[in-house]
């Protein structure tokens, strides 16, 4: 009997697991698309010349989208740009129709350096394109060079909303992997149901630095509140609970640590039962427990069936190690489902 069972396991590893389909879920801006790009980089699936040209244009667009958003947040808080020229530039700015040249680049840098913008970056809720803006504004000289081609780090930092479904395919060892990335904005989440069948695992991403950021869809809640709600819905979906491997990425752990240094009291202000002397490590542990507590007592799922990892999706070395563990976890879960473990 044991010999037969071991033979079945070997057969499953060799045949059924030659293809693994993983569904990436999470609210907007949580890092799903960055993870998909990392997998291409790690598994030697290079970006084409056309793709790199699009990413270069995207980086320029990210600068002006980010400036427009940040200026609006600053103005809402009563912080005005110091010169009428800069204020007029932002007011008249259409991020999608900017003629990119030295003058536009100089204006962008001047707006970014304005004290009102610095205040908004350090003290106000994070805007959607904030991280991309901070990175891309430092690449202005490269972006002005017509011969410059984005590298892997640039591709990872470029931000674009995912709409519909995007598939990324690559081989990891002998296993063919398909990542299915679905948009995380509220209007896009309505399409998730049709994607939640015929998968082997769900990777759920939550941006853990968003505990103070108001949600676009409900300003009475934070983006982290919405992420917790969506997570609870996902893990109890009948196509997922007890049927596929579930992986939770507490993503942007590096930004959580940075935010706790800048705003040391804000985490405890949001979560009243968090200890006063809590640090970033304790905050991650707290959030891990908060997500796992969403597993209902009557669920087909148990907390110990969920693989949890604190991540920074921009860290290629970390993502390489983490994905090896994810792949092994998914294979083990498939064998359990087949009653072979």
């Amino acid at each position: 009997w044991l010999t037969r069972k071991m033979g079945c396991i070997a057969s499953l590893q060799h045949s059924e697991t030659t293809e693994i389909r993983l569904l990436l879920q999470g609210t907007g801006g949580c890092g799903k698309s960055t993870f998909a790009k990392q997998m291409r980089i790690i598994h030697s699936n290079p970006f084409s010349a056309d793709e790199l040209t699009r990413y270069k244009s995207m980086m320029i667009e990210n600068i002006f989208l980010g400036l427009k958003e940040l200026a609006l947040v600053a103005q809402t808080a009563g912080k005005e740009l110091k010169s009428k020229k800069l204020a007029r530039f932002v007011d008249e700015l259409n991020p999608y129709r900017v003629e990119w040249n030295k003058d536009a680049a100089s204006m962008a840098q001047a707006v970014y350096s304005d004290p009102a913008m610095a205040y908004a970056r350090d003290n106000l809720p994070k805007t959607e394109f904030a991280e991309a803006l901070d990175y891309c504004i430092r690449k202005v000289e490269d972006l002005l060079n017509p011969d410059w081609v984005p590298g892997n780090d640039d591709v990872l930092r470029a931000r674009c909303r995912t709409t519909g479904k995007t598939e990324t395919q690559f081989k990891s060892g002998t296993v063919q992997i398909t990542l299915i990335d679905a948009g995380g904005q509220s209007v896009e989440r309505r399409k998730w149901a049709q994607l939640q069948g015929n998968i082997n695992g769900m990777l759920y991403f939550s941006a853990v630095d968003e505990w103070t950021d108001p949600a676009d869809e409900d300003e009475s809640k934070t983006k982290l509140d919405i992420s917790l709600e969506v997570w609870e819905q996902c893990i109890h979906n009948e196509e997922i609970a007890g049927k596929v491997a579930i992986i939770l990425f507490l993503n942007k752990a590096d930004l959580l640590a940075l935010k706790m240094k800048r705003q040391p009291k804000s985490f405890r202000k949001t979560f009243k039962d968090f200890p006063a002397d809590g640090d970033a490590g304790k905050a991650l542990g707290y959030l891990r427990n908060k997500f796992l507590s969403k597993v209902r007592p009557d669920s087909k799922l148990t907390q110990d069936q969920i693989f949890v990892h604190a991540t920074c999706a921009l860290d290629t070395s970390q993502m390489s190690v983490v994905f090896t563990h994810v792949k092994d976890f998914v294979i083990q879960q498939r064998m359990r489902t087949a009653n072979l473990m």
Side-chain angles (χ1 to χ4, degrees):
W1 174 85
L2 181 59
T3 302
R4 187 168 66 252
K5 184 169 183 177
M6 293 303 292
C8 290
I9 292 174
S11 175
L12 180 61
Q13 288 177 316
H14 181 71
S15 59
E16 288 189 30
T17 59
T18 54
E19 181 178 7
I20 290 177
R21 293 174 58 81
L22 301 174
L23 180 61
L24 311 185
Q25 308 237 262
T27 54
C30 63
K32 302 187 306 297
S33 299
T34 303
F35 176 82
K37 289 186 280 189
Q38 282 282 28
M39 293 301 102
R40 287 188 61 177
I41 292 167
I42 291 166
H43 296 94
S44 303
N45 184 3
F47 299 96
S48 69
D50 285 345
E51 286 177 306
L52 293 174
T53 297
R54 287 197 297 273
Y55 279 118
K56 185 175 182 178
S57 297
M58 195 182 297
M59 291 175 71
I60 295 169
E61 194 174 276
N62 285 175
I63 290 174
F64 294 104
L65 283 167
L67 290 175
K68 191 80 172 180
E69 285 183 336
L70 195 61
L72 180 60
V73 168
Q75 289 166 7
T76 302
K79 301 293 181 180
E80 298 293 338
L81 298 176
K82 63 182 180 181
S83 86
K84 291 182 179 180
K85 182 179 179 181
L86 294 182
R88 185 168 59 252
F89 173 79
V90 172
D91 288 342
E92 297 175 355
L93 176 63
N94 181 338
Y96 302 102
R97 293 187 177 181
V98 177
E99 183 179 350
W100 181 242
N101 52 39
K102 288 186 177 180
D103 289 341
S106 295
M107 288 297 289
Q109 289 173 315
V111 172
Y112 183 81
S113 301
D114 188 274
M117 302 291 267
Y119 176 86
R121 287 195 300 274
D122 292 342
N123 298 285
L124 299 177
K126 183 182 69 176
T127 55
E128 181 179 353
F129 287 88
E131 295 161 42
L133 169 62
D134 289 343
Y135 181 83
C136 295
I137 199 73
R138 299 196 300 270
K139 306 289 286 190
V140 162
E141 294 304 318
D142 289 330
L143 291 166
L144 285 170
N145 181 354
D147 298 323
W148 181 75
V149 178
N152 287 338
D153 283 345
D154 306 307
V155 169
L156 290 172
R157 298 280 187 165
R159 164 94 175 114
C160 181
R161 284 183 179 177
T162 303
T163 57
K165 179 184 76 169
T166 302
E167 291 194 0
T168 301
Q169 296 183 330
F170 57 91
K171 287 199 79 171
S172 178
T174 60
V175 181
Q176 180 67 37
I177 307 290
T178 299
L179 302 180
I180 305 158
D181 182 8
Q185 307 295 330
S186 58
V187 66
E188 295 293 328
R189 295 200 298 269
R190 299 168 193 165
K191 307 170 188 176
W192 283 6
Q194 60 190 329
L195 303 175
Q196 290 171 328
N198 191 31
I199 59 171
N200 309 112
M202 179 191 76
L203 278 62
Y204 189 90
F205 292 74
S206 181
V208 292
D209 65 326
E210 296 184 330
W211 68 84
T212 60
D213 302 342
D216 294 333
E217 55 210 83
D218 184 349
E219 292 190 356
S220 69
K221 298 177 180 178
T222 68
K223 291 181 179 179
L224 189 54
D225 291 333
I226 299 295
S227 181
L228 280 159
E229 291 175 5
V230 175
W231 158 256
E232 184 173 6
Q233 294 165 9
C234 286
I235 60 175
H236 295 109
N237 182 287
E238 61 182 11
E239 297 288 346
I240 291 176
K243 293 184 179 180
V244 306
I246 297 177
I247 298 95
L248 170 63
F249 283 165
L250 301 176
N251 197 35
K252 305 191 180 183
D254 56 325
L255 296 183
L256 175 144
L258 182 61
K259 186 171 179 176
M260 290 194 76
K261 286 182 179 179
R262 288 178 173 173
Q263 304 174 30
K265 297 180 180 179
S266 67
F267 196 86
R268 190 162 187 257
K269 185 176 180 181
T270 301
F271 302 107
K272 308 298 184 186
D273 55 340
F274 185 70
D277 61 345
D279 56 15
K282 289 180 180 178
L284 285 168
Y286 177 91
L287 291 176
R288 178 186 186 277
N289 293 336
K290 201 162 188 66
F291 274 89
L292 291 180
S293 71
K294 297 299 181 181
V295 177
R296 300 168 190 157
D298 60 347
S299 174
K300 298 176 183 177
L301 180 69
T302 60
Q303 291 188 9
D304 59 5
Q305 291 175 316
I306 300 172
F307 178 92
V308 186
H309 210 294
T311 57
C312 169
L314 291 167
D315 186 332
T316 302
S317 297
Q318 185 197 55
M319 286 295 99
S320 180
V321 173
V322 168
F323 187 73
T324 298
H325 294 315
V326 167
K327 185 178 70 172
D328 292 344
F329 179 73
V330 173
I331 291 172
Q332 290 170 9
Q333 289 294 97
R334 289 190 69 178
M335 289 192 288
R336 286 194 181 95
T337 302
N339 201 27
L340 294 176
M341 289 187 72

